[in-house]
Amino acid sequence: MNLESIEKAAAYLQSKFASTPKIGLILGSGLGVLADEIEHAVKIPYSEIPEFPVSTVEGHAGQLVFGTLHGVSVAAMQGRFHYYEGYDMHKVTFPVRVMKALGVETVIVTNAAGGVNMDFEPGDLMLISDHINFIGNHPLIGPNDAKLGVRFPDMSEAYCKKLRRVAKDVAERLNIKVQEGVYVAMSGPTYETPAEIRMLRTLGGDAVGMSTVPEVIVARHAGLQVLGISCISNMAAGILDQPLNHEEVIETTERVKANFLSLVKEIVSELG
Ligand code: HPA
């Protein structure tokens, strides 16, 4: 992770899109459709961007989409990089550094997650109030470049309380039910065992997934404000008497897409 590669990627993107995006959107599995709603869209495949990794997993298009949502300038990642794909933590979080370099102030990070909290149902949307990093790695390990952030970043309010307040007010206005809770990140790519899910519940987790936490750590290191939204795509392992699969994750996110889209668009409009 060096400043030079961040600036190289940012300079290329600025040559394609002149205005400054205010909000960065990181769109999880099945949630990339939000980028299709962006107006005056300029789409740049990751493969074209210098220094950018290339995404591989199904359900991810792998491009940055610039444009406006309700008149607010945004940069959206349609598809993200996961640790389980074999990218190192610096690659996983590189796009967040680039967003910061482009002038983004707030990132809205989304994902599909398994419900650990027994009160949740597949299809619920959950505002992330906090996280537990169980990936077994950390994106800030290594020498710290003080130009990018401090050595020991505070994480006492990683997910901005004010942004959550805005999200809750918008959800209420749109009559969309939202849960709130703690997101636990595991490395994947296996889904968890029932014993692991019982452990995560005991430790205070409400939802579990394989992303988000590295990006949020780097966003906080970079001084960006974060709003996190999980789409509860399934109940986590062992809760229901059925196996888990990626198709179910995609099907559920497909089902709640409309609510997810209107919630995020309205939040963006509110923040603009
Ligand atoms: N576990 C981990 N990641 C996930 C899940 C899950 O149950 N559902 C969607 N992403």
Side-chain angles (χ1 to χ4, degrees):
M1 173 84 48
N2 64 70
L3 209 50
E4 209 177 301
S5 30
I6 297 165
E7 280 166 0
K8 205 165 148 189
Y12 177 80
L13 293 168
Q14 277 157 342
S15 76
K16 301 271 167 184
F17 184 75
S19 72
T20 300
K22 188 170 173 174
I23 298 177
L25 298 161
I26 302 180
L27 305 173
S29 296
L31 302 172
V33 281
L34 180 57
D36 300 333
E37 309 256 323
I38 293 175
E39 291 168 35
H40 316 291
V42 176
K43 302 180 177 184
I44 305 164
Y46 295 154
S47 56
E48 262 184 34
I49 310 170
E51 311 291 331
F52 241 65
V54 175
S55 103
T56 58
V57 84
E58 281 172 60
H60 296 254
Q63 56 183 4
L64 264 180
V65 184
F66 292 90
T68 59
L69 270 180
H70 284 315
V72 182
S73 184
V74 299
M77 285 182 73
Q78 205 170 25
R80 60 145 61 87
F81 304 103
H82 298 89
Y83 186 54
Y84 63 73
E85 291 176 90
Y87 300 110
D88 68 36
M89 281 292 193
H90 294 150
K91 288 235 156 59
V92 169
T93 56
F94 183 73
V96 179
R97 296 285 185 202
V98 174
M99 282 185 178
K100 167 75 182 181
L102 292 174
V104 163
E105 294 162 10
T106 300
V107 283
I108 302 180
V109 187
T110 68
N111 58 56
V116 171
N117 185 320
M118 297 288 205
D119 295 334
F120 290 1
E121 288 173 347
D124 279 350
L125 297 176
M126 182 190 89
L127 302 175
I128 304 177
S129 57
D130 204 347
H131 74 222
I132 296 175
N133 180 13
F134 259 152
I135 289 185
N137 204 335
H138 194 291
L140 302 181
I141 289 177
N144 185 62
D145 184 342
K147 291 195 196 82
L148 298 178
V150 298
R151 174 74 286 190
F152 301 109
D154 173 46
M155 291 293 279
S156 47
E157 197 188 315
Y159 300 82
C160 177
K161 227 175 179 165
K162 276 193 196 141
L163 291 179
R164 260 184 289 147
R165 184 71 259 163
V166 170
K168 277 184 246 182
D169 291 344
V170 167
E172 196 176 310
R173 189 156 19 98
L174 298 178
N175 204 15
I176 294 171
K177 172 174 122 187
V178 284
Q179 308 277 11
E180 191 168 0
V182 173
Y183 176 91
V184 185
M186 303 288 274
S187 72
T190 51
Y191 290 113
E192 301 69 33
T193 64
E196 285 166 343
I197 293 303
R198 286 193 299 275
M199 172 187 76
L200 298 184
R201 188 178 307 116
T202 304
L203 296 181
D206 296 295
V208 60
M210 307 174 193
S211 67
T212 301
V213 164
E215 292 118 314
V216 170
I217 290 171
V218 165
R220 295 305 296 144
H221 184 242
L224 297 169
Q225 306 240 69
V226 176
L227 177 69
I229 306 175
S230 290
C231 168
I232 305 301
S233 54
N234 56 282
M235 292 312 286
I239 296 179
L240 306 174
D241 190 19
Q242 64 186 47
L244 271 53
N245 62 72
H246 187 61
E247 286 64 45
E248 181 193 4
V249 170
I250 298 298
E251 269 165 36
T252 309
T253 49
E254 188 69 23
R255 177 159 66 77
V256 298
K257 201 162 76 178
N259 273 353
F260 172 79
L261 290 180
S262 26
L263 181 67
V264 177
K265 277 162 63 181
E266 202 56 32
I267 292 169
V268 167
S269 160
E270 201 74 16
L271 299 179

